[in-house]
Coordinates of all heavy atoms in Angstrom, one line a residue:
N12 N 14.1 69.5 37.0 CA 13.1 68.5 36.8 C 11.9 68.7 37.6 O 10.7 68.5 37.2 CB 13.6 67.1 37.1 CG 14.6 66.6 36.0 OD1 14.5 67.1 34.9 ND2 15.4 65.6 36.3
A13 N 12.1 69.2 38.9 CA 10.9 69.6 39.7 C 10.2 70.7 39.1 O 8.9 70.7 39.1 CB 11.4 69.9 41.1
L14 N 10.9 71.7 38.6 CA 10.3 72.9 38.0 C 9.5 72.4 36.7 O 8.3 72.8 36.5 CB 11.3 73.9 37.6 CG 10.8 75.1 36.7 CD1 9.8 75.9 37.5 CD2 12.0 75.9 36.3
A15 N 10.1 71.5 35.9 CA 9.4 71.1 34.7 C 8.2 70.2 35.0 O 7.2 70.4 34.4 CB 10.4 70.3 33.9
D16 N 8.3 69.4 36.1 CA 7.1 68.6 36.5 C 6.0 69.5 37.0 O 4.8 69.3 36.7 CB 7.5 67.6 37.6 CG 8.4 66.5 37.0 OD1 8.4 66.3 35.8 OD2 9.1 65.9 37.8
A17 N 6.4 70.5 37.8 CA 5.3 71.5 38.2 C 4.7 72.2 37.1 O 3.5 72.5 37.0 CB 5.9 72.4 39.3
F18 N 5.5 72.6 36.1 CA 5.0 73.3 34.9 C 4.1 72.4 34.1 O 3.0 72.8 33.7 CB 6.2 73.7 34.0 CG 5.8 74.2 32.7 CD1 5.4 75.5 32.5 CD2 5.9 73.4 31.5 CE1 5.0 76.0 31.3 CE2 5.5 73.9 30.3 CZ 5.1 75.2 30.2
L19 N 4.4 71.1 34.0 CA 3.6 70.2 33.2 C 2.3 69.9 34.0 O 1.2 69.8 33.4 CB 4.3 68.9 33.0 CG 5.5 69.0 32.0 CD1 6.2 67.6 31.9 CD2 5.0 69.4 30.6
D20 N 2.3 69.9 35.3 CA 1.1 69.7 36.1 C 0.2 70.9 36.0 O -1.0 70.8 35.8 CB 1.5 69.5 37.6 CG 0.3 69.2 38.4 OD1 -0.5 68.3 38.1 OD2 0.1 69.8 39.5
K21 N 0.8 72.1 36.1 CA 0.0 73.4 35.9 C -0.6 73.4 34.5 O -1.8 73.8 34.3 CB 0.9 74.6 36.1 CG 1.2 74.9 37.5 CD 0.2 75.9 38.0 CE 0.8 76.4 39.3 NZ -0.3 77.0 40.0
L22 N 0.2 73.0 33.5 CA -0.3 73.0 32.1 C -1.5 72.1 31.9 O -2.5 72.4 31.3 CB 0.8 72.7 31.2 CG 0.6 72.7 29.7 CD1 0.2 74.2 29.3 CD2 1.8 72.2 28.9
A23 N -1.4 70.9 32.6 CA -2.5 69.9 32.4 C -3.8 70.4 33.1 O -4.8 70.0 32.6 CB -2.0 68.6 33.0
H24 N -3.6 71.1 34.2 CA -4.8 71.5 34.9 C -5.3 73.0 34.6 O -6.2 73.5 35.3 CB -4.6 71.3 36.4 CG -4.4 69.9 36.8 ND1 -3.2 69.3 36.9 CD2 -5.3 68.9 37.0 CE1 -3.3 68.1 37.2 NE2 -4.6 67.8 37.2
D25 N -4.6 73.6 33.7 CA -4.9 75.0 33.4 C -6.1 75.1 32.5 O -6.2 74.4 31.4 CB -3.7 75.7 32.7 CG -3.9 77.2 32.6 OD1 -4.8 77.7 33.2 OD2 -3.1 77.8 32.0
E26 N -7.1 75.8 32.8 CA -8.3 75.9 32.0 C -8.1 76.9 30.9 O -8.7 76.7 29.8 CB -9.5 76.4 32.9 CG -9.9 75.5 34.0 CD -10.5 74.2 33.4 OE1 -11.2 74.2 32.4 OE2 -10.2 73.1 34.0
E27 N -7.4 77.9 31.1 CA -7.1 78.9 30.1 C -5.8 78.7 29.4 O -4.7 78.7 30.1 CB -7.2 80.3 30.7 CG -6.9 81.5 29.7 CD -6.8 82.8 30.4 OE1 -7.2 82.9 31.6 OE2 -6.3 83.7 29.8
T28 N -5.7 78.5 28.1 CA -4.4 78.4 27.4 C -4.0 79.7 26.9 O -4.7 80.4 26.2 CB -4.6 77.4 26.3 OG1 -5.1 76.2 26.8 CG2 -3.3 77.1 25.6
R29 N -2.8 80.1 27.3 CA -2.2 81.4 26.9 C -1.2 81.1 25.7 O -0.1 80.7 26.0 CB -1.6 82.1 28.0 CG -2.6 82.5 29.1 CD -1.9 83.3 30.2 NE -0.9 82.5 30.9 CZ -1.1 81.6 31.9 NH1 -2.3 81.4 32.3 NH2 -0.1 81.0 32.5
F30 N -1.7 81.2 24.5 CA -0.9 80.8 23.4 C 0.4 81.6 23.2 O 1.4 81.0 22.8 CB -1.7 81.0 22.1 CG -2.9 80.1 22.1 CD1 -4.2 80.7 22.3 CD2 -2.9 78.8 21.9 CE1 -5.3 79.9 22.3 CE2 -4.0 78.0 21.9 CZ -5.2 78.5 22.1
E31 N 0.4 82.9 23.5 CA 1.6 83.7 23.3 C 2.7 83.2 24.3 O 3.8 83.0 23.9 CB 1.3 85.2 23.6 CG 0.3 85.8 22.7 CD -1.1 85.5 23.2 OE1 -1.4 85.1 24.3 OE2 -2.1 85.7 22.3
V32 N 2.4 82.9 25.5 CA 3.3 82.5 26.5 C 3.8 81.1 26.2 O 5.0 80.8 26.3 CB 2.7 82.6 27.9 CG1 3.7 82.1 29.0 CG2 2.3 84.0 28.3
L33 N 2.9 80.2 25.9 CA 3.3 78.8 25.5 C 4.1 78.8 24.3 O 5.1 78.0 24.1 CB 2.1 77.9 25.4 CG 1.4 77.6 26.7 CD1 0.2 76.7 26.4 CD2 2.3 77.0 27.7
G34 N 3.8 79.7 23.3 CA 4.6 79.7 22.1 C 6.0 80.2 22.3 O 6.9 79.6 21.8
L35 N 6.1 81.2 23.2 CA 7.5 81.7 23.5 C 8.3 80.6 24.3 O 9.5 80.4 24.0 CB 7.4 82.9 24.4 CG 6.9 84.2 23.7 CD1 6.7 85.3 24.7 CD2 7.8 84.6 22.6
F36 N 7.6 79.8 25.2 CA 8.2 78.7 25.9 C 8.7 77.7 24.9 O 9.9 77.2 24.9 CB 7.3 78.1 26.9 CG 7.8 76.8 27.4 CD1 8.9 76.8 28.3 CD2 7.2 75.6 27.0 CE1 9.3 75.6 28.8 CE2 7.6 74.4 27.5 CZ 8.7 74.4 28.4
V37 N 7.9 77.3 24.0 CA 8.2 76.2 23.0 C 9.4 76.7 22.1 O 10.3 75.9 21.9 CB 7.0 75.8 22.2 CG1 7.4 74.9 21.0 CG2 6.0 75.1 23.1
Q38 N 9.3 77.9 21.7 CA 10.4 78.5 20.9 C 11.7 78.5 21.6 O 12.8 78.1 21.0 CB 10.1 79.9 20.4 CG 9.1 80.0 19.3 CD 8.8 81.4 18.9 OE1 9.1 82.4 19.7 NE2 8.1 81.6 17.9
E39 N 11.7 78.9 22.8 CA 12.9 79.0 23.6 C 13.5 77.6 23.8 O 14.7 77.4 23.7 CB 12.6 79.6 25.0 CG 13.9 79.9 25.8 CD 14.8 80.8 25.2 OE1 14.4 81.9 24.7 OE2 16.1 80.5 25.2
V40 N 12.7 76.6 24.2 CA 13.2 75.3 24.5 C 13.6 74.6 23.2 O 14.7 74.0 23.2 CB 12.1 74.5 25.2 CG1 12.5 73.0 25.4 CG2 11.9 75.1 26.6
T41 N 12.9 74.7 22.1 CA 13.3 74.0 20.9 C 14.6 74.7 20.3 O 15.4 74.0 19.8 CB 12.2 74.0 19.8 OG1 11.8 75.3 19.6 CG2 11.1 73.1 20.3
K42 N 14.8 76.0 20.5 CA 16.0 76.6 20.1 C 17.2 76.1 20.9 O 18.2 75.8 20.4 CB 15.9 78.1 20.2 CG 17.1 78.9 19.9 CD 16.9 80.4 20.0 CE 16.8 80.8 21.4 NZ 16.7 82.2 21.7
S43 N 16.9 75.9 22.2 CA 18.0 75.5 23.1 C 18.3 74.0 23.0 O 19.5 73.7 23.1 CB 17.6 75.7 24.6 OG 17.3 77.1 24.8
T44 N 17.4 73.2 22.7 CA 17.6 71.8 22.6 C 17.9 71.3 21.2 O 18.1 70.1 21.0 CB 16.4 71.0 23.2 OG1 15.3 71.3 22.4 CG2 16.2 71.2 24.6
G45 N 18.0 72.2 20.3 CA 18.3 71.9 18.9 C 19.6 71.1 18.7 O 19.7 70.2 17.9
D46 N 20.6 71.5 19.4 CA 21.9 70.8 19.3 C 22.1 69.7 20.3 O 23.2 69.1 20.4 CB 23.0 71.9 19.5 CG 23.0 72.5 20.9 OD1 22.1 72.3 21.6 OD2 23.9 73.3 21.2
K47 N 21.0 69.3 20.9 CA 21.0 68.1 21.8 C 22.0 68.3 23.0 O 22.5 67.3 23.6 CB 21.4 66.8 21.1 CG 20.5 66.5 20.0 CD 19.1 66.2 20.4 CE 18.2 65.8 19.2 NZ 16.8 66.1 19.5
Q48 N 22.2 69.5 23.4 CA 23.1 69.9 24.5 C 22.6 71.2 25.1 O 22.3 72.1 24.3 CB 24.5 69.9 24.0 CG 25.5 69.6 25.1 CD 26.9 69.4 24.5 OE1 27.1 69.7 23.4 NE2 27.8 69.0 25.3
L49 N 22.5 71.3 26.4 CA 22.1 72.5 27.0 C 23.3 73.1 27.8 O 23.9 72.3 28.5 CB 20.9 72.3 28.0 CG 19.6 71.9 27.3 CD1 18.6 71.5 28.3 CD2 19.1 73.0 26.5
D50 N 23.5 74.4 27.7 CA 24.5 75.0 28.6 C 23.7 75.7 29.7 O 22.5 75.7 29.7 CB 25.4 75.9 27.8 CG 24.7 77.1 27.1 OD1 23.5 77.3 27.4 OD2 25.4 77.8 26.3
R51 N 24.5 76.4 30.6 CA 23.8 77.0 31.7 C 22.8 78.1 31.3 O 21.7 78.1 31.9 CB 25.0 77.6 32.6 CG 24.5 78.2 33.9 CD 25.7 78.7 34.7 NE 25.2 79.5 35.8 CZ 25.0 79.1 37.0 NH1 25.2 77.8 37.2 NH2 24.6 79.9 37.9
Q52 N 23.2 78.9 30.4 CA 22.2 80.0 29.9 C 21.0 79.4 29.3 O 19.9 79.9 29.5 CB 22.9 80.9 28.9 CG 23.9 81.9 29.6 CD 25.2 81.3 29.9 OE1 25.6 80.3 29.4 NE2 26.0 81.9 30.8
E53 N 21.1 78.3 28.6 CA 19.9 77.7 27.9 C 19.0 77.1 28.9 O 17.8 77.2 28.8 CB 20.3 76.7 26.9 CG 21.0 77.3 25.7 CD 21.6 76.3 24.7 OE1 21.9 75.2 25.2 OE2 21.8 76.6 23.5
V54 N 19.6 76.5 30.0 CA 18.7 75.9 31.0 C 18.0 77.0 31.8 O 16.8 76.9 32.1 CB 19.6 75.0 32.0 CG1 18.8 74.6 33.2 CG2 20.1 73.8 31.3
N55 N 18.8 78.1 32.1 CA 18.2 79.2 32.8 C 17.1 79.9 31.9 O 16.0 80.2 32.4 CB 19.2 80.2 33.1 CG 20.1 79.7 34.3 OD1 19.7 79.0 35.1 ND2 21.3 80.2 34.3
A56 N 17.3 80.0 30.6 CA 16.3 80.6 29.7 C 15.0 79.7 29.7 O 13.9 80.2 29.7 CB 16.9 80.7 28.3
A57 N 15.2 78.4 29.7 CA 14.0 77.5 29.7 C 13.3 77.6 31.0 O 12.1 77.6 31.0 CB 14.5 76.1 29.4
A58 N 14.0 77.7 32.1 CA 13.4 77.8 33.4 C 12.6 79.1 33.5 O 11.5 79.2 34.0 CB 14.4 77.7 34.5

């Protein structure tokens, strides 16, 4: 949660949006949270 909060803070204050990196992040997280359950590898991949 601390990592996610820091990520969201950086994202809110970032002047330059890097679509490729954010796209990969969104794909990874939505793939992981699709079954409404995260295992250790999925949490690590999101981090």
Side-chain angles (χ1 to χ4, degrees):
N12 287 339
L14 173 64
D16 290 339
F18 172 78
L19 292 173
D20 186 52
K21 285 267 195 197
L22 184 64
H24 296 96
D25 193 9
E26 294 296 323
E27 176 187 347
T28 304
R29 296 180 302 272
F30 299 104
E31 300 84 16
V32 176
L33 289 180
L35 292 174
F36 166 73
V37 170
Q38 284 178 348
E39 186 63 44
V40 173
T41 54
K42 178 179 71 172
S43 300
T44 59
D46 59 355
K47 303 294 182 203
Q48 206 167 10
L49 291 172
D50 63 11
R51 184 179 169 91
Q52 281 80 18
E53 291 172 336
V54 172
N55 287 330

